[in-house]
Amino acid sequence: MKRTKFALFMFIVVSFLVRLIPHRTLLLAVYDEYLHRDLTLRIANSGIGVLSRDLGSLLGLKAYSYPPLFHVIGALLYGIFKSDFVFFVLPAVYGVLSLIAFYYLSKEILGEENKAFLATLLVGFAPNFLYRTSLYIPENLGVFLFISGLWLIVRFLKTGKTKYLIYSMVLLPVYMVTHRGWVFFVGVALLMFFVHFIPWVKRHLHYLAVLALAALALYYAPVTGEFIRGLISRMPREEVTALGYLKWIGVVQLIFGVLATKKYLEGDPVRQGLALWAWAFMILGSIAFRFRDPYASLPLSIMAAEYLVDEVFPKLRPILEKITADMSGIGANVFRKALLNKKAVSILIALFIVTPIVQGAYSSYAYITPPTVKDKEAFEWIKENTPEDAVFLVWWDLGYLLIGNTHRKDVVMWKKVYQGFFEEAPDSQEAIKAYSDHVVMFSSTQKERVYHLMELYNVSYIYVDKYRRAYGLIKYGLMEYAPYDTHFKTLFVNGNSELYQFIPNPSLLPPDRDRIEYSGSYEVLVNFLENFWTGYNYADFDDGYKGDYFLNSRIAEIYSYLYQKTGNEKFKERYEWLLRWLAYKQLDNGGFPEGIPPNDFTLYTAFTLEPLMKMPFEGSAKGRKYLQERIKENYIMTTPKDKKGDLFAEAQMLPILYEYSLLNETVLNNLITKILEEQRKDGSWRESLGGTIVTVFGLARYYQISGDERVLPAIKKAAEWIKEQQEENGHFKGEKGYGYSRATYANVLFVYHIVGMTKEEEQMLNIIKNTYDLNKEPRPLQATLDIFRALKYAYGMENAIEILSEILALQNF
């Protein structure tokens, strides 16, 4: 007996340590934990008075109610220890208490300590049970109450003493204010009672009809019916594979628990009830995993333990004797003798015990994968820069992380969880509608409908991360137009997360959302550009970021020029709008985001500011300051986190920063030296055709505006290397079909123009004129404006427009 108690003690210690594994990173392990920690902290910070006064919600009698006792206890302990370790250690404590309770339940049913210990070991390492008893979720405490209540029920059934029934009835309200798993407890208790009182039931079959009518009445009654229907609607319904049973219940627990069924159905009423419980919950668990995880594991572990001790372990040697009886050949006798050795049998028994331990320990590490909180930076920004009562539109599963890390509200989880916890629980239809409406807000292109819903739910901010942005619903819905629609102000981007402020009545709306209709000498160019007008800005035809700020600044420059040439007020109205729109969409730090997902890129901000240099742009000073802050002594930061720079980006920014007079002599010399030293002897940079072209293009533009002779030899050398990469007809070697954007050829044209390679320059121009195909350009607007930029640098604005118009006139677009 002492040995069993010591083994039990050691098992409890190991179980406690294993239940700490999911929190090994000192982060909450699953999405739900973030929610329950936030609820706990709200009680700890504001007091128990913040809880709902709705009794139906407090008792878990409503579909979307969340009983608060678990959180109240957590808040009390957090108030004492003032440490997040409460959320990591407390679940393991509850888990151990559940195992101690289960040991006594098993001992009550099986009557033997060794069987009870094995049953406790099996359930303690059943993956689904370990999962539920390792996490900071109400079900953790609920499982302890479930097992404790069943022990009382079994004691009552075995002894007939009503005090145990009374204790269980006292325990039930405590369970009800802890977790809604009390419904499963009541179901199992009724099943156990039914089996135990079968003789009485046989004599009173007519009572069953009365009970059926009572159940029907309860289903349609206002309060109970709402609860039952809500419970059914909330129950996850999806097919579960057989592999899922082996994975989550455990291989040993499932196989030997099932094998014990016949023996249990022939046993006493408690064992019969246990078997019916196991099978009922396994069958229901095939469509709603909540029945299987972890409630089916409890009876199966008891059944498996008894079957192993009574039927398997004593018969291992006879089974091995039968298996090896017909063995013959070299080494057969040696193998048979080794296999029938007492130690070998002991090893096999140990394997039956070790297997569930290994599976359970592995599951605690592999199955409970902490959600990646990639964006602590974004969450910190939200906490520091948004009101505490702000409401966020966020995809529902990301809502757990947002709420848990920022303590802000969202649309879906607030309706489903918080409203019932702190206010009055919504009915099922309200909760379903909130989910549906949040999908509409993310996916609909009916903007007026989206604005209305956002106002209805009091949405102030929209938060999306890289993973959710990839969802088609979001990517081609809200995230398509949020970058340019003035109802949304871009607040934060970092290449993983995006944060926008929703502005119901923006101060800035376009005076005319229709395309510009124009006929005249610039008709071809204007008609082409207007194909890309969204009503707010010009956006390319692709899956890219629809802000396209640097393209819009180039169009603003073009329309400003066209207004000067034609006096057409439409051009003035449009370029002035674009200037206001760019200032409105500019980040507070002066930058302009770009990319999918967008980030705060210095290069694209420089591209955006370059055409605006001589225009009355409101954000010019802010933009200059932004660029100045990104310039370091010997590199230029590509993003706010960059600490080393990027050669190709620096070469492209060099002429822009020089023209803005932002480079002092030291920085200028350092950058030029760095770029020149990185050039290879063959004239390339890193043997990259694309990298060499953008680098030498930047140097060529810098030379054009500065006359700095230091860079000319490098430009000539690179031009010769590029020429070597071309066929005699001017196309790049290895190009199949339309392998390179014609903007690449335009960049090379400008380089040849600078170094005086006239023949090659003309060849490039002819290739662009004769082969340019807008339908083959991945980004037709950007390709066209990139070509225009190169032509403008080489030939001036008017000639560039004339050449480009000639090219565009041939396009079927």
Side-chain angles (χ1 to χ4, degrees), residues 765-806:
L765 184 57
N766 287 328
I767 289 174
I768 296 168
K769 285 182 176 181
N770 297 327
T771 67
Y772 187 43
D773 189 342
L774 282 167
N775 295 301
K776 293 180 179 179
E777 290 285 349
R779 302 201 74 204
L781 179 61
Q782 181 175 341
T784 301
L785 292 175
D786 282 349
I787 292 172
F788 175 76
R789 180 184 60 160
L791 295 175
K792 183 185 74 169
Y793 288 166
Y795 310 122
M797 179 73 84
E798 187 64 33
N799 290 329
I801 291 175
E802 184 179 339
I803 296 171
L804 190 61
S805 296
E806 180 185 339

Side-chain angles (χ1 to χ4, degrees), residues 740-748 772 777 782-784 786-787 790:
Y740 290 89
S741 169
R742 292 309 178 250
T744 302
Y745 283 91
N747 289 345
V748 175
Y772 187 43
E777 290 285 349
Q782 181 175 341
T784 301
D786 282 349
I787 292 172

Side-chain angles (χ1 to χ4, degrees), residues 276-469:
L276 290 178
W277 167 17
W279 279 97
F281 275 62
M282 279 197 292
I283 293 169
L284 291 171
S286 65
I287 55 173
F289 69 87
R290 287 291 186 192
F291 289 92
R292 181 195 68 188
D293 302 338
Y295 301 101
S297 296
L298 303 176
L300 284 171
S301 295
I302 295 174
M303 293 164 68
E306 186 165 37
Y307 190 83
L308 284 169
V309 172
D310 290 347
E311 304 294 333
V312 177
F313 295 162
K315 299 177 182 179
L316 274 178
R317 184 179 176 85
I319 291 170
L320 292 174
E321 287 175 350
K322 288 183 179 180
I323 291 173
T324 60
D326 298 326
M327 287 181 62
S328 61
I330 299 173
N333 288 332
V334 176
F335 181 77
R336 183 186 300 110
K337 186 177 180 180
L339 198 60
L340 296 177
N341 187 283
K342 287 184 178 180
K343 290 184 178 179
V345 174
S346 298
I347 290 172
L348 285 175
I349 293 174
L351 283 175
F352 280 107
I353 298 172
V354 170
T355 297
I357 294 175
V358 171
Q359 185 180 8
Y362 173 77
S363 73
S364 71
Y365 182 86
Y367 300 168
I368 307 175
T369 306
T372 304
V373 187
K374 289 183 178 177
D375 238 325
K376 290 184 179 179
E377 180 188 11
F379 293 141
E380 288 300 319
W381 194 97
I382 289 170
K383 284 196 291 185
E384 293 173 6
N385 296 279
T386 64
E388 291 183 1
D389 60 349
V391 177
F392 281 73
L393 174 65
V394 58
W395 195 251
W396 70 271
D397 60 345
L398 186 56
Y400 288 100
L401 294 180
L402 177 102
I403 292 170
N405 286 284
T406 70
H407 311 298
R408 301 305 191 262
K409 299 180 182 179
D410 78 330
V411 171
V412 177
M413 299 315 300
W414 187 268
K415 175 64 70 173
K416 287 187 171 184
V417 178
Y418 285 75
Q419 185 173 315
F421 203 87
F422 296 115
E423 300 166 13
E424 184 175 346
D427 59 33
S428 299
Q429 294 304 313
E430 284 183 85
I432 292 170
K433 188 175 189 307
Y435 176 83
S436 300
D437 285 344
H438 113 286
V439 172
V440 170
M441 284 184 271
F442 269 120
S443 63
S444 178
T445 55
Q446 297 177 12
K447 298 178 185 177
E448 295 298 332
R449 182 184 180 191
V450 174
Y451 306 152
H452 169 72
L453 286 174
M454 286 187 179
E455 288 189 67
L456 185 66
Y457 285 94
N458 200 29
V459 170
S460 302
Y461 301 93
I462 299 95
Y463 176 67
V464 176
D465 71 349
K466 179 179 181 179
Y467 180 74
R468 278 80 182 177
R469 192 189 219 281

Side-chain angles (χ1 to χ4, degrees), residues 111 118 216 275 278 307 314 386 395 465 552 619 662 666 688 703 745 764:
L118 180 57
L216 193 65
Y307 190 83
T386 64
W395 195 251
D465 71 349
N552 281 272
L662 294 174
T666 300
S688 165
Y703 174 74
Y745 283 91
M764 292 294 97

